[in-house]
Amino acid sequence: MRELFLITGADCPLCEEAKDILDSVSLKDVIIIEKDIYSTRKIYDDFWDKIPVIMVEQKILCWPFNGEEIRNLVSR
């Protein structure tokens, strides 16, 4: 199983939209793990102005994104 991290923030409408997009995409053998932007200083420093952000292994997809872009990221 591969891990997909969704970096989000509280009261973030774009993050809610990203979750809806992820829910609509059929990803096989992928576990989605949500991480709050404040969970670590490094995550905050790297992504505070880019959330929502999707990370798979070392690949990053910053907002805006769509289902097709997510599928492409996961399949690489």
Side-chain angles (χ1 to χ4, degrees):
M1 282 268 167
R2 296 175 73 191
E3 294 179 335
L4 179 150
F5 292 92
L6 174 62
I7 301 171
T8 64
D11 300 320
C12 171
L14 296 177
C15 298
E16 294 303 318
E17 190 173 338
K19 290 178 199 177
D20 291 341
I21 293 170
L22 273 171
D23 287 343
S24 71
V25 176
S26 294
L27 299 174
K28 295 182 181 185
D29 299 323
V30 174
I31 297 171
I32 299 171
I33 301 168
E34 189 173 342
K35 289 193 101 42
D36 187 88
I37 189 71
Y38 295 108
S39 62
T40 69
R41 181 66 183 197
K42 176 151 180 48
I43 290 175
Y44 178 80
D45 288 346
D46 290 348
F47 301 115
W48 69 270
D49 61 341
K50 297 172 182 69
I51 62 171
V53 175
I54 292 177
M55 296 174 57
V56 177
E57 295 162 355
Q58 299 299 320
K59 300 171 283 197
I60 297 169
L61 185 60
C62 297
W63 187 260
F65 47 77
N66 59 40
E68 182 178 339
E69 291 169 313
I70 294 169
R71 281 189 293 277
N72 289 338
L73 180 75
V74 171
S75 68
R76 288 194 257 156

